[in-house]
Amino acid sequence: MTYFNDFDINENIKKAIKEMGFEEPSPIQEKAIPEILSGRDLIGQAQTGTGKTAAFGIPLINQITTAPHVQTIILTPTRELAIQVSGELQKLSKYMKIRTLPIYGGQSIGHQIRALKQGVQIVIGTPGRIQDHLRRKTLRLDKVRAVVLDEADEMLDMGFIDDIENILKQVNTDRKTLLFSATMPPAIRKLSRRYMNSPVTVSINKSEVTAPSIDQVYFKVLERNKQESLCRILDSKDPELGIIFCRTKKGVAELTEALQARGYLADGLHGDLTQSQRDAVMKKFRDSSIEFLVATDVAARGIDVNDVSHVINYDIPQDPESYVHRIGRTGRAGKSGEALTLVTPREMKHLRSIEAEIKMAIPSHAVPSIEEVVEKQQQSWKNLITDQLNDDEDLSLFNALTEELLEQYEAKDIVRSLMKLNFSSAIGESDDGYNFGETGGAKGMIRFFINVGRNVNMSPKVLIEEISNAVGIPGKAVGRIDIFENFTFVEVPEDVAPFVYEALRYSRINGARVNLEPAKPRPKRENRPRPARPSR
Ligand code: ADP
Ligand code: MG
């Protein structure tokens, strides 16, 4: 197994990686980083979410000097990606004196020119805007030592091929060229033959994996109230012994704290603990003084806890192998086990790819409602109360108050109120955290505004498909749709609106990044502007 420490890279980068909470390289990072460090051109193929940014970011940052000129350019298909990649590189280079700058259309070119003049080492941009700067000579590529084509297949889909070729032609030829792509259509192969220098290809094969036959289910949850959803699931399932998986150390720390604050017996395990701290946590878990172990994949791998009643994927695993590995920790030796996976709307596609790999459909359950949790908890609450009743403890302290209340109220009402007071914290709140306000939708519907329309070949069919895939509602539940040249309105039922919002907010429709927002209510008829004639 490889660790980040095994790479021959600057200590300042290692420190930053540590702070970002990465514990070990992802498969593409493990393979690509040494090749790039050795100076080779590289084609990297892996699905989204596999950590490609750091796979090229780490070795490139390692070779950058503080000289104030552009040394690396990274081409991305969209401005959102440019910003995202820039953010990740800034984090990786936190302890290096390096400046990164995203440049993209839509932002003031003057601002970008001023920023470029101050001396940046890494430029991340969309091919169109980079070309713009090259024409104005506000960006010079003569000292560039590395070029990255990120999400190359998407850039080609979006018609950037000429821009890309133009840019590549202007960079000196003894540069390093890296190309990352989820798929490898012939056009990409051709591009690589023309502009790359005997590149090595690393691809992360989707190896066949089979999941053990244990009960698996996933819960659709909102990003915004994932913790609350987890607690409800835990309360309704009442696991005996569970491992809860998070993606990062930071995630482990945060969730452990949140669970403890809500009164769960939980403790966290991650790579930063000393051996004796780990042992202490494990001892608590084995002798059942905690019921939940919160852990990253790496931390859990080093320990032998196999026999748990529940594996809970608080963060969906990054790949099918790790899914199978995680859930294999339950249901051993003929005992029953359950694997529960929380999936946010934006992760639905990722879940589908895991299902495709393990060749089985994971059934979905709804997050239990407060009522269901209360119903489920009645027995355990009853036990707590009867234990107290059977206890010999002297409760005479409460005599006066008890008498007084019994004189004024029905015993039944008093008991109910006391239970509400005592257990309401365990019940949590029902608010899902979204209030879209008045959106001008039909009764019971929320109306959303989407910032693309016929300009990206939006059609009712495409939109309905996108919504029903992401949210799992039948197409006919989607309400009124109005498609204009540059924007679209769509109405969806109130109860699924938060899911639609999180799923589509920064998604893609027909390859174009879209943004979606609650619509503003329509203006009253008398002062409504005359609708523009739809163009064709
Ligand atoms: P891709 O470009 O392959 O779609 P990204 O580079 O955007 O993937 O990474 C996806 C997410 O995974 C990001 O949030 C990133 O910070 C995180 N990530 C990357 N590498 C690791 C790692 N080694 N361990 C944990 N998380 C990682
Ligand atoms: Mg990426």
Side-chain angles (χ1 to χ4, degrees), residues 201-317:
T201 299
V202 302
S203 59
I204 299 310
N205 284 331
K206 309 181 194 164
S207 57
E208 290 246 321
V209 281
T210 36
S213 54
I214 57 168
D215 282 344
Q216 300 164 54
V217 17
Y218 79 89
F219 294 89
K220 248 185 328 196
V221 300
L222 290 169
E223 187 71 54
R224 160 129 6 156
N225 50 13
K226 227 172 151 184
Q227 281 184 2
E228 167 68 25
S229 302
L230 173 69
C231 292
R232 290 222 202 138
I233 294 166
L234 295 182
D235 291 345
S236 76
K237 293 277 179 188
D238 204 10
E240 222 171 286
L241 206 57
I243 303 189
I244 305 177
F245 283 99
C246 294
R247 193 156 51 83
T248 61
K249 295 188 274 209
K250 207 160 136 225
V252 168
E254 282 168 9
L255 184 62
T256 306
E257 202 173 294
L259 289 175
Q260 287 171 345
R262 288 169 183 249
Y264 295 92
L265 300 172
D267 215 334
L269 206 60
H270 55 69
D272 274 357
L273 300 182
T274 64
Q275 190 57 45
S276 67
Q277 285 170 319
R278 291 169 66 95
D279 292 346
V281 174
M282 285 315 301
K283 181 167 182 305
K284 283 197 260 178
F285 193 58
R286 288 213 183 81
D287 63 23
S288 299
S289 55
I290 52 171
E291 29 185 6
F292 296 109
L293 187 66
V294 188
T296 58
D297 288 290
V298 181
R301 202 176 300 158
I303 52 172
D304 98 87
V305 262
N306 288 323
D307 227 354
V308 296
S309 63
H310 288 76
V311 165
I312 299 132
N313 295 311
Y314 182 70
D315 291 324
I316 192 167

Side-chain angles (χ1 to χ4, degrees), residues 52-53 81 85 150-151:
K52 293 192 286 294
T53 316
L81 265 177
V85 169
D150 192 19
E151 305 216 9

Side-chain angles (χ1 to χ4, degrees), residues 4 20-26 29 46-54 84 88 150-151 247-248 318:
F4 282 112
M20 290 166 79
F22 297 0
E23 290 196 286
E24 65 169 15
S26 67
Q29 291 163 2
Q47 291 151 283
T48 40
T50 50
K52 293 192 286 294
T53 316
Q84 205 177 307
E88 185 101 340
D150 192 19
E151 305 216 9
R247 193 156 51 83
T248 61
Q318 296 213 333

